[in-house]
Amino acid sequence: SALCKMARGEGPPSLGTFSPPVRREQGSSSKRLRIIGALMFGVVCAALTFEGAKRGMAGRGEAFLLQQGDDKAMISQLAQEEVTRKVAQQAASGLPVAAVVLAQSLASNSSIVIDCSRKEAYILLQTNFASIAANTSKENATMHAKDALLAAAAAEAKENWLASEAKYRDAQAAYASATSAAEYARGKYSGFESAVTAGQEEWDKLKPKYDEEANQIAAEVPLIEELIAVLTKSSAEMAAPQQLAAVRAKVSQLSVPEHDKRMSAQMDVLRAVMLKTDSKGAMVAALKVVQGLLDTMKGRKTEIAETLKKMEEELSNNKMGLKTWEEKVVDLSDAADKSKNTMNEEGLVKATLSGKASVAKEEYEDFHATFLDDVARFERELAALSTIDGKLTDAVEACA
């Protein structure tokens, strides 16, 4: 303003020429106070002038962007300007007022008027800005590293959980298979147990009867063979009535199993033949019947032996099967119990890793939610620092 120009006289003091007042003679006190007051007033006016110019530039920039309809670009530019001002304030914190004013001028979008009398101030601010840039870069790198670390931890936790899930599913399948095998073994064991019980009952019931029948047949065979010999001889000769009577006596001594209908029928035929009066004819007919009866008895005896053998082998096989499947039931039941324990253990591991994966995911998402905003802020700060550093570098190099 005009007032500030009048107060400045020859212009605002520079950092290169500014120095604290020195001790002078007593007569110069009033003059020294006036000089200091003018100096401070000039600094304030310079700051006000800079702020007004900056706001005017911001206003023109806003109007242009609004005319273009580029709201996002305007917001981004204003945000960047705000960041630049804050960075400048941070760098000039604790420095003299004139340095603060210089820092604010560096924060503007316009280039600075290089004044080599301020070289030391340029270097001091450049050092401060470099320190802020280093810290910001370090913090930015730390945030990226932590975000990457949390992302990797979440990914690893998820991978571990998915692996445990797969192992748990495999353990479930193994347990189902082992349980099915144990159930099948118990079913086979039960089948053999029933077969052994039924076979043993049948054996205990029929074996004595078959033995009795076989013994009875065995006892009758010699008598029948003797009768055949007599009938053969009598048939070849002139059979006398007394010979027929002797044959009849032997036939009356024959006994066959009552339940064997075929033998009983043959005995009925033989008795009927013995009633004939023709000795010769009776002998021939009787020989044929007795020979058939002998064949029937021998066949029945063989059949009994084969039946008993088959029953015995079947019972023995069932007992062996019962023992085999009894052992399998024990082994497969133990295997099913072990697979169940394994499944339960894998389930606990899965639950634990699932919890860890959820925690890791939540930690990453919570951090990442603010991480993007922080990174954007760091980028704006670093951009501002780079811009200001470029101005300071140009000034320092120009004053070299």
Side-chain angles (χ1 to χ4, degrees):
S1 65
L3 180 61
C4 289
K5 289 180 180 179
M6 292 173 61
R8 286 199 303 270
E10 296 179 356
S14 65
L15 289 178
T17 60
F18 176 76
S19 60
V22 297
R23 184 179 181 83
R24 299 181 183 274
E25 295 179 359
Q26 294 180 354
S28 62
S29 299
S30 177
K31 183 179 181 180
R32 184 169 65 249
L33 289 174
R34 288 195 298 271
I35 293 173
I36 293 173
L39 178 62
M40 295 303 294
F41 187 77
V43 169
V44 172
C45 286
L48 292 173
T49 300
F50 169 74
E51 183 67 19
K54 179 180 62 177
R55 290 180 179 177
M57 182 179 295
R60 290 192 297 274
E62 292 175 15
F64 174 76
L65 292 175
L66 286 173
Q67 289 174 0
Q68 297 296 319
D70 196 351
D71 294 342
K72 292 184 178 179
M74 182 192 72
I75 294 173
S76 176
Q77 178 179 333
L78 293 176
Q80 185 62 45
E81 291 177 359
E82 180 64 23
V83 170
T84 305
R85 286 194 293 271
K86 290 183 178 179
V87 168
Q89 290 174 1
Q90 183 181 0
S93 177
L95 298 180
V97 175
V100 174
V101 174
L102 177 58
Q104 290 177 342
S105 69
L106 291 170
S108 68
N109 290 332
S110 61
S111 59
I112 63 173
V113 178
I114 299 175
D115 184 354
C116 291
S117 64
R118 300 180 178 183
K119 180 179 179 181
E120 292 183 1
Y122 293 151
I123 295 175
L124 178 61
L125 287 174
Q126 190 177 39
T127 302
N128 283 7
F129 279 117
S131 177
I132 294 173
N135 291 335
T136 302
S137 296
K138 182 178 179 180
E139 188 175 358
N140 186 36
T142 301
M143 293 287 288
H144 275 87
K146 185 174 181 180
D147 186 75
L149 182 64
L150 290 175
E156 182 180 5
K158 181 179 180 180
E159 183 178 353
N160 292 337
W161 168 63
L162 291 176
S164 69
E165 179 75 19
K167 292 183 67 177
Y168 176 68
R169 297 303 178 194
D170 290 342
Q172 277 187 319
Y175 172 62
S177 177
T179 301
S180 178
E183 290 177 354
Y184 176 78
R186 283 190 286 270
K188 294 293 291 185
Y189 173 81
S190 178
F192 277 105
E193 185 179 34
S194 298
V196 168
T197 299
Q200 189 65 54
E201 290 177 354
E202 184 181 33
W203 176 266
D204 294 341
K205 178 181 179 180
L206 297 180
K207 176 69 164 57
K209 294 181 178 180
Y210 284 141
D211 288 343
E212 181 181 0
E213 183 179 357
N215 292 335
Q216 183 180 1
I217 292 173
E220 297 298 321
V221 168
L223 182 59
I224 292 176
E225 289 177 345
E226 182 180 346
L227 181 58
I228 289 174
V230 172
L231 289 172
T232 302
K233 183 179 180 182
S234 300
S235 299
E237 301 175 352
M238 292 297 295
Q242 60 271 24
Q243 289 176 328
L244 181 58
V247 169
R248 288 173 178 166
K250 289 183 178 295
V251 169
S252 64
Q253 296 176 4
L254 292 176
S255 176
V256 296
E258 295 178 356
H259 63 275
D260 194 315
K261 295 181 179 180
R262 184 178 179 184
M263 292 185 190
S264 297
Q266 289 175 323
M267 283 300 299
D268 291 340
V269 172
L270 182 57
R271 293 189 185 97
V273 169
M274 290 294 98
L275 295 176
K276 291 183 178 182
T277 56
D278 179 8
S279 299
K280 178 74 174 176
M283 293 292 187
V284 172
L287 177 59
K288 184 177 181 180
V289 174
V290 171
Q291 285 177 337
L293 179 61
L294 179 61
D295 292 339
T296 300
M297 286 186 170
K298 288 182 177 181
R300 178 55 181 166
K301 187 176 180 181
T302 300
E303 181 182 351
I304 291 173
E306 290 177 351
T307 299
L308 289 175
K309 181 180 179 181
K310 182 178 179 180
M311 289 175 59
E312 187 176 20
E313 289 178 351
E314 185 175 354
L315 180 60
S316 177
N317 290 336
N318 287 335
K319 287 181 177 180
M320 289 179 62
L322 180 64
K323 182 179 179 181
T324 298
W325 285 102
E326 182 179 16
E327 294 174 354
K328 289 185 178 182
V329 165
V330 174
D331 294 340
L332 293 174
S333 296
D334 290 343
D337 291 340
K338 290 180 180 178
S339 64
K340 182 179 180 180
N341 293 335
T342 300
M343 180 187 68
N344 291 336
E345 291 172 0
E346 293 296 340
L348 292 175
V349 172
K350 178 180 74 73
T352 301
L353 293 178
S354 176
K356 290 183 178 180
S358 297
V359 171
K361 179 183 178 182
E362 185 176 354
E363 288 180 350
Y364 169 70
E365 290 178 346
D366 289 346
F367 181 83
H368 194 71
T370 58
F371 165 77
L372 297 177
D373 293 336
D374 291 336
V375 167
R377 175 173 57 82
F378 288 144
E379 289 178 353
R380 289 193 296 269
E381 290 179 1
L382 290 172
L385 289 166
S386 177
T387 300
I388 295 174
D389 181 69
K391 294 179 181 181
L392 288 172
T393 299
D394 292 342
V396 172
E397 291 178 351
C399 296

